[in-house]
Amino acid sequence: MNSPAVNTEGAAALNLPSVQERRSLREQVTHALRAALVAGELRPGIVYSAPVLAAEFGVSATPVREAMLDLAKEGLVEVVRNKGFRIIGLTDQDLDDFTEIREMIEVPATVRVAEIATPEQLEPLREHARAIVTAALAGDLIAYVEADRRFHLGLLALHGNRHLVETVRDLRSRSRLYGLTALVEADRLFESAAEHEQLLNAMIARDLPLVTELITAHLGHVRRLWAAGRD
């Protein structure tokens, strides 16, 4: 699947998530834009017009502007006066730093969850693991990122430390997975998707050495995905 064309006038060809009713409109649009940013649908250096993005969502421009201002406060975009919002890029050092922090947090936390969580607590995560595979097979990058987020944050929530979950959520929101497009085009996204159910099976079996190996390898693959999209 080829990346959609983007220009400085807007994002008419973007594959943006649908806006649903379960949250306030501003929250829905913020969430959807963040997912599109992480998936690489919104590219660094491009100026996106709020009215054009609003037309893509089928909403007014106001909640889009509000959502973009929320993302600006998080350091993900910057305001371009009288034009719109520019996506802030990441350096290689940023990617290395994010990976290092995630490894420091998520590897021991995931192993700890494998130690303390029951199969009954872990088994509901299988739905998200399979949703990741379904999205991979469909080449739906945003659905892939969303299901991946639900899987990993749901897993870490079993640790019982909400601050840990919030920290990882923030790190993920600052990530970019531009390399997903290359995996889709090479029919290799399924391989990455399948790692989630393998990890879940190892956790249910309480095979801690295998859990350590799998989560470490998985985070390493994420870093390579980021790098692949920058080549």
Side-chain angles (χ1 to χ4, degrees), residues 22 24 48 66-67 82-83 91 105 107 138 157 192 209:
R22 63 183 180 273
S24 75
Y48 292 92
E66 292 173 340
N82 298 324
K83 291 186 178 180
T91 67
I105 295 173
V107 172
S192 179

Side-chain angles (χ1 to χ4, degrees), residues 37 68-69 71-73 75-79 85-88:
L37 190 152
M68 280 296 198
L69 289 173
L71 296 181
K73 290 176 184 176
L76 302 178
V77 306
E78 61 183 354
V79 178
F85 301 86
R86 181 184 292 114
I87 307 303
I88 296 175

Side-chain angles (χ1 to χ4, degrees), residues 58-205:
V59 300
S60 71
T62 297
V64 175
R65 285 195 189 92
E66 292 173 340
M68 280 296 198
L69 289 173
D70 288 339
L71 296 181
K73 290 176 184 176
E74 297 175 22
L76 302 178
V77 306
E78 61 183 354
V79 178
V80 180
R81 188 174 178 82
N82 298 324
K83 291 186 178 180
F85 301 86
R86 181 184 292 114
I87 307 303
I88 296 175
L90 296 176
T91 67
D92 288 336
Q93 187 61 55
D94 289 329
L95 301 180
D96 289 336
D97 291 345
F98 286 149
T99 302
E100 182 179 15
I101 297 169
R102 288 190 63 185
E103 287 175 345
M104 292 170 67
I105 295 173
E106 291 188 62
V107 172
T110 301
V111 173
R112 179 58 179 158
V113 171
E115 289 177 325
I116 64 176
T118 66
E120 290 75 20
Q121 290 174 308
L122 290 165
E123 192 59 41
L125 295 171
R126 194 173 302 279
E127 176 185 354
H128 301 317
R130 290 177 176 171
I132 297 169
V133 170
T134 299
L137 292 173
D140 189 336
L141 302 187
I142 291 178
Y144 181 97
V145 168
E146 281 293 278
D148 181 75
R149 181 188 63 83
R150 290 192 296 270
F151 176 87
H152 285 285
L153 296 184
L155 185 160
L156 292 174
L158 296 176
H159 187 284
N161 186 331
R162 66 182 178 86
H163 299 292
L164 181 152
V165 176
E166 288 299 321
T167 298
V168 174
R169 179 183 286 114
D170 179 66
L171 287 169
R172 292 176 63 88
S173 74
R174 296 175 182 278
S175 306
R176 308 291 188 276
L177 293 176
Y178 302 130
L180 288 179
T181 300
L183 287 188
V184 170
E185 293 172 346
D187 292 324
R188 290 182 48 221
L189 188 58
F190 173 80
E191 298 172 21
S192 179
E195 294 175 355
H196 298 82
E197 195 155 16
Q198 294 167 6
L199 174 62
L200 181 60
N201 290 337
M203 294 180 72
I204 290 174

